[in-house]
């Protein structure tokens, strides 16, 4: 079943201790789309400027992503983010943000996107997320991501948007900040009380934890010895997660959700091995299955008689 | 098979957002002993002063811990630590440390302790750890814990002590600090290259990760909604871990090690539910097995046909 994602399409300039790129394809909707494309049909919705050309479309089309709802703003420039990471790759330092065409973004969904069965609202202003959610009223499920900025300046709006979705992806500091509750298990319960049946706490190098009706599932991150660029890891994680769920008849089944979280972690682990979209754009389903199996082995308790 | 632990025996004064205790039994060797006592015979080695009396011995004896090698220093006072935690329970703030009799501690092991099959060197000066290790030359396995202080002021000594043990327990920041390697997987590999076959990275609320010859195993912490006092969590974890291993014929088997890590996490999760030794001293093996099963369920990927 098809999955539509609304979010940013960007050029990123990134420096890490392991290299740099002065201008590469990025943005939450891009990382999400590529990750999800291994499991389901994906449509991406977001604005670009005149500087967004054949090479960028080729990366998306190379993974079969439908780009008909990418809106080209004549005379505009694509959203640009410049940042760097130090040896602690968990923390991104922003050096420059130019919203450009993204600053006036008013999501316009085609009839095909409005009727997509599954929806992901990447990190944008929560009022806009809510408008999109209302345009896709019949979606089987909707997920969203957000960030500390919106918790700071648009908390109530974010809470009403959260009440309209099924799955929430936030990092653990954001879950605590949103609920003003230092205990993560309680904080996640409070977010679930707003409406969503699934709350996923992203924990960077420590992996992720999922809170559902049926309980709790936690998965470590893949123990990579060479992380080159963490940009887009969270969006790749959500993309693999929701792409897999979109392919399942019973998306809310606990076993499906656990596999979804593992596929999300698999794609995120590949994403950070190289800069930007470089690794995921040439990833194969076979590599994905191999790493999934690796995740299974590294978390198996394999209880034998004591 | 018996397990001997050498380390601190203390009185702790602890304040957390959930309560306070002005003077309670604590110390690394105490928390370790109580945790290990559910699985094997334990002997504790460490110094106490005149203020250490019947009530404190009763807690240890209540769990069957052998206290014959607790050394009573006439006219001395027991090691005292005062600290507090804020809502982020991962960080302990030290308000007062009085080493007292622990300041001149020279471990003297009885013949029975020297011939114990298994050894744990809790966090003390690494030269002392090495002396104890040499007194127990025939131990089947030896483990150690340490801290940032010794990495700072006695790095070379700590490295030689590490080269003489089989299992190392450190938090992930300490593993990075010891090796000056920001990537944890590489850093753990470098610690293993010093000699130990097992390196366990403690990660506080995120659980723990274990690096062995056969690979990698990670386990989340138990998602408690009410943590009252994290003091002693790391020592309870190591105690449950090594206590279980001491009970196994083949301690270095990967399956035994994974179960050991789970038992360690189980005991640590009970330890933090109340202050000091309050919860673990009345814990039952049945409660332990129930939570072990809970850990199994919350980490099971349960792969069904996709």
């Amino acid at each position: 079943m098809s999955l539509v994602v609304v979010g940013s399409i960007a050029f990123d300039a990134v420096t890490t201790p392991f290299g740099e790129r002065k201008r590469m394809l990025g943005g939450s909707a891009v990382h999400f789309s590529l990750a999800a494309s291994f499991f389901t049909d994906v449509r991406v919705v977001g604005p670009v400027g005149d500087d967004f050309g054949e090479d960028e479309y080729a990366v998306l089309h190379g993974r079969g992503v439908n780009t008909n709802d990418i809106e080209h703003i004549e005379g505009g420039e694509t959203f640009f983010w410049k940042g760097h990471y130090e040896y602690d790759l968990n923390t991104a330092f922003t050096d420059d943000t130019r919203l450009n065409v993204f600053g006036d973004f008013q999501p316009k969904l085609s009839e095909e996107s409005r009727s997509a069965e599954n929806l992901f609202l990447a990190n944008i202003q929560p009022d806009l997320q809510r408008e999109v959610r209302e345009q896709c009223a019949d979606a089987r499920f909707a997920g969203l991501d957000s960030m500390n900025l919106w918790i700071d300046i648009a908390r109530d709006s974010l809470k009403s948007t959260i009440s309209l979705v099924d799955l929430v992806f936030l990092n653990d500091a954001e879950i605590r900040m949103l609920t003003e509750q230092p205990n993560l298990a309680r904080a996640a319960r409070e977010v679930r009380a707003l409406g969503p049946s699934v709350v996923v706490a992203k924990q960077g190098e420590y992996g992720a934890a999922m809170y559902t009706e049926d309980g709790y599932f936690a998965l470590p991150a893949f123990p990579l010895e060479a992380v080159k660029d963490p940009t887009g890891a969270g969006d790749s994680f959500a993309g693999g997660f929701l792409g897999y769920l979109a392919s399942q008849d019973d998306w809310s089944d606990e076993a499906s959700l656990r596999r979804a979280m593992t596929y999300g972690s698999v794609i995120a682990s590949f994403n950070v091995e190289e800069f930007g979209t470089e690794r995921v754009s040439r990833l194969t389903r076979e590599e994905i299955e191999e790493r999934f199996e690796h995740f299974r082995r590294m978390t198996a308790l394999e209880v034998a008689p004591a």
Side-chain angles (χ1 to χ4, degrees), chain A:
Chain A
M1 282 180 272
S2 67
L3 173 59
V4 62
V5 50
V6 181
S8 65
I9 299 171
F11 285 111
D12 290 340
V14 174
T15 304
T16 81
F18 310 103
E20 70 171 319
R21 294 293 183 275
K22 293 201 182 305
R23 183 183 177 79
M24 64 185 179
L25 178 62
S28 58
V30 167
H31 284 288
F32 181 95
S33 297
L34 295 175
S37 71
F38 291 93
F39 307 100
T40 197
D41 292 334
V42 184
R43 302 180 66 92
V44 56
V45 179
V48 300
D50 293 340
D51 50 352
F52 197 88
E54 289 305 317
D55 289 353
E56 289 74 37
Y57 279 109
V59 173
L60 292 163
H61 294 157
R63 289 286 332 139
V65 174
N66 183 313
T67 60
N68 293 349
D69 278 8
I70 289 186
E71 186 182 4
H72 175 201
I73 311 289
E74 295 269 347
E77 273 188 88
T78 303
F79 177 41
F80 176 77
W81 179 76
K82 182 178 181 183
H84 71 275
Y85 300 82
E86 297 177 356
Y87 277 100
D88 174 4
L89 293 163
N90 293 299
T91 307
F93 297 92
T94 292
D95 301 313
D96 193 8
T97 302
R98 296 183 217 155
L99 290 177
N100 297 331
V101 297
F102 197 59
D104 302 312
F105 179 43
Q106 288 294 334
K108 296 177 199 67
L109 276 65
S110 65
E111 184 49 43
E112 290 86 345
S113 286
R114 280 200 302 274
S115 60
E117 286 89 351
N118 306 292
L119 173 66
F120 184 65
L121 306 162
N123 170 30
I124 56 176
Q125 209 283 338
D127 292 337
L128 292 183
Q129 289 181 316
R130 203 161 54 250
E131 282 172 31
V132 174
R133 177 68 184 102
E134 283 156 3
Q135 288 182 53
C136 300
D138 297 332
R140 189 176 70 137
F141 70 68
L144 73 72
D145 185 18
S146 190
M147 71 185 297
N148 50 6
L149 172 70
W150 309 123
I151 300 174
D152 254 345
I153 68 173
R155 179 188 299 257
D156 290 342
S157 171
L158 177 58
K159 282 190 174 181
S160 8
T161 307
I162 286 176
S163 74
L164 302 175
V165 302
D166 306 286
L167 305 104
V168 169
F169 294 79
L170 288 173
N171 68 42
D172 50 7
E174 291 161 350
I175 291 175
R176 291 180 163 115
M177 186 180 168
L178 178 69
T179 56
E180 298 177 306
Q181 165 56 255
N183 179 285
L184 185 62
R186 286 186 192 210
R189 188 153 51 82
E190 289 181 22
V191 177
R192 287 190 67 248
L194 298 174
S197 55
V198 180
V199 171
V200 180
K202 297 182 287 181
Q203 304 176 320
E205 66 166 322
Y206 299 111
M210 176 169 67
Y211 298 84
T212 61
E213 180 66 37
D214 292 338
Y216 175 78
F217 176 59
L219 194 70
F222 195 71
L224 290 168
E225 292 212 3
V227 174
K228 276 197 184 154
D229 170 22
T231 311
D235 299 304
S236 301
F237 171 73
F241 193 123
L242 293 191
Y244 177 77
L245 275 194
S247 76
Q248 298 297 296
D249 288 333
D250 185 1
W251 73 266
S252 64
D253 171 63
E254 179 77 17
S256 299
L257 287 166
R258 290 183 175 205
R259 287 194 300 272
M261 191 148 117
T262 311
Y263 278 116
S265 303
V266 165
I267 312 279
S269 76
F270 281 112
N271 179 78
V272 302
E273 285 183 358
E274 297 182 20
F275 277 81
T277 62
E278 292 167 16
R279 183 67 183 91
V280 173
S281 59
R282 64 163 207 280
L283 188 61
T284 67
R285 183 68 192 245
E286 194 180 2
E287 290 172 314
I288 292 171
E289 295 304 328
E290 199 179 308
R291 190 161 290 181
F292 186 103
E293 191 51 29
H294 203 133
F295 265 95
R296 203 192 56 72
R297 287 199 305 275
M298 77 189 204
T299 60
L301 189 43
E302 296 169 332
V303 181

